[in-house]
Amino acid sequence: RCNIYVDAYQMVGEEKTRISHSLLVPLEGKILMNGGRIATKVSKEVTHIVIDDFGCNAPHQFQQYREESFRGGLSTSKSKALTLLKQLRSEGWHKKPHFVAPGWVDASVRKGKLQPEAMFPARWFR
């Protein structure tokens, strides 16, 4: 059974910073209706992390997001993913959860079974 953290927060795992208009929020309903669990915090039990893959489709935007992320000026999916990994490692968990794009949830629901995560990597892990 999947225990999925959906990255619909401005700050990783901070419930007060939930982005109610995030394009990821509707995925939570699909996950729950199909037997998955939603994790509101990152923990060792998390099997998948759905990262927001929207918003930087053009190469120049991707480059800008990447540069600003490394300078610490923008909270991007990549910097959040790295924060998540550091948090897991600090808890003594060395197995990396699957970082997937939102399409993984949609495809798994549509086909009625979990799809290979490698087919839906989050943009930052391609």
Side-chain angles (χ1 to χ4, degrees), residues 21-40:
H21 59 278
S22 169
L23 295 173
L24 296 177
V25 170
L27 294 178
E28 292 178 344
K30 290 180 181 182
I31 292 166
L32 292 171
M33 288 175 42
N34 288 278
R37 294 186 306 177
I38 299 295
T40 56

Side-chain angles (χ1 to χ4, degrees), residues 14-84:
E14 296 288 329
E15 292 185 50
K16 297 179 288 192
T17 66
R18 184 168 171 78
I19 305 167
S20 59
H21 59 278
S22 169
L23 295 173
L24 296 177
V25 170
L27 294 178
E28 292 178 344
K30 290 180 181 182
I31 292 166
L32 292 171
M33 288 175 42
N34 288 278
R37 294 186 306 177
I38 299 295
T40 56
K41 298 252 185 223
V42 178
S43 69
K44 294 178 186 180
E45 290 77 34
V46 170
T47 59
H48 295 78
I49 296 176
V50 180
I51 293 283
D52 184 352
D53 216 54
F54 308 108
C56 58
N57 296 320
H60 71 279
Q61 285 179 311
F62 173 76
Q63 184 64 29
Q64 177 186 354
Y65 273 49
R66 194 173 74 168
E67 288 171 6
E68 291 181 15
S69 173
F70 286 121
R71 286 196 304 257
L74 182 67
S75 178
T76 64
S77 295
K78 182 173 185 175
S79 64
K80 288 166 88 176
L82 293 174
T83 300
L84 290 164

